[in-house]
Amino acid sequence: MNPATANIEEAILSAILAGRIAPGTRLGEQKLADLFGVSRTRVREAMMRLETRGVVQVSARRGWYVVEPSAEEAREAFHTRRVIEVGLLQTVPHVPPNVLAALKEHVAMERAAIESGDIGSRACLLGDFHIHLADALGNRLLTEIIRDLTARTTLISMLYQPTEKAEESSHDHEDIVAAMEADDLTLAARLMGEHIAKVEAGLDLTAKPDPLAGLRELLSPSTFTGNTPSVPHSHTHPHSHSFGKED
């Protein structure tokens, strides 16, 4: 893979995992080419790879944009994560001490981010736990698969999760690591399955994305001085941003 293509791909995926890019965000080829100092051909190659990974889509009208998973796709993504991540723990014969130490350090970083109110770091660390776990157990292929799935479920949470449950998720991670440290991988696998199911259960899959969310924010009274009529709100997901105008 071309290094420039890899850098674009990695930057976009990392931003999604950190919650900095919302579902539906348009990814303009020319803007990305300017940003990374590469040709639009290189950008297109990166976008095509992200498309095969289920992270972006392309249309004649919108160009490239970050996927907006449907409720059915959300269910499928969480089901797939349960199968893979529970299965991973069920097949590990033993967890080396250095892996346990790294995971415990990661959970401590989660707790610190939660206590400090660092929302960006917190979101990134909570999603990264699952990727770090697969990587620490030495399965590179599963690490890549889990990373892509985690990116999709991050987008799903941004669309359908009405409340933050960061502290509860971190406690779940702590319990999973404790079970691994006790060499009870059967318990660890069960806790992982329950954890992923709990995150899915916290989603409101009946929520409908609000196509006027961006306009609502632009026209909200807080953006003006003086008396401005209020704009009605509904259950919305983070509005879509864009890396520039249409190419």
Side-chain angles (χ1 to χ4, degrees), residues 96-109 129 132-133 136 177:
N98 64 311
V99 171
L100 287 169
L103 291 172
K104 289 167 79 172
E105 181 180 355
H106 187 93
V107 172
M109 291 170 65
F129 172 82
H132 189 53
L133 174 59
V177 174

Side-chain angles (χ1 to χ4, degrees), residues 107-157:
V107 172
M109 291 170 65
E110 291 178 3
R111 302 299 302 166
I114 290 169
E115 290 168 7
S116 68
D118 187 342
I119 296 173
S121 294
R122 178 188 72 193
C124 188
L125 287 165
L126 288 172
D128 213 34
F129 172 82
H130 299 266
I131 302 164
H132 189 53
L133 174 59
D135 187 48
L137 293 174
N139 193 314
R140 189 173 63 182
L141 180 58
L142 276 181
T143 300
E144 292 178 3
I145 293 171
I146 290 172
R147 193 161 196 258
D148 291 351
L149 282 169
T150 301
R152 283 184 70 81
T153 51
T154 297
L155 293 170
I156 289 163
S157 294

